[in-house]
Amino acid sequence: MTIGPYPTVRFFTRPRNLKGSLFFFGGLAVVIIGWVIVGLLLEGYGFVILFRGFLPTVLMFLKRTPYLGRALDLPGVKSVINKIAPAQLPV
């Protein structure tokens, strides 16, 4: 926890992050109960909802790495990536 416990709790309990937090922690509970596949799907959905603002930045970074960049430039993958993270991000 680089940012500390209080900011972490505040991030997960913000009203705009509540849906993602519920899916993420609900998925964690489902994994603990024993339904691993369903739990991982719920966690993944919650993760995407929580961090969707960071996703374009992460994808742009990955596009610039040597091996992943080539894989992300494949025709089918590139069209999906460009919908999520346009070629030029506004600064």
Side-chain angles (χ1 to χ4, degrees):
M1 280 198 202
T2 306
I3 62 173
Y6 180 70
T8 302
V9 170
R10 193 173 54 200
F11 173 78
F12 283 107
T13 57
R14 283 185 191 152
R16 70 176 187 190
N17 294 344
L18 192 58
K19 181 179 176 183
S21 297
L22 289 174
F23 272 99
F24 184 77
F25 291 115
L28 181 64
V30 171
V31 167
I32 291 171
I33 290 171
W35 291 14
V36 177
I37 301 296
V38 174
L40 287 175
L41 290 172
L42 290 173
E43 282 183 35
Y45 180 68
F47 183 83
V48 169
I49 291 174
L50 277 172
F51 298 106
R52 66 180 162 223
F54 301 118
L55 192 58
T57 305
V58 170
L59 288 175
M60 290 302 294
F61 173 76
L62 292 175
K63 279 179 156 182
R64 293 189 176 114
T65 58
Y67 297 106
L68 282 174
R70 287 186 210 142
L72 294 175
D73 277 337
L74 294 173
V77 178
K78 188 174 185 175
S79 64
V80 173
I81 297 296
N82 284 336
K83 288 180 184 176
I84 297 171
Q88 297 279 333
L89 283 177
V91 179

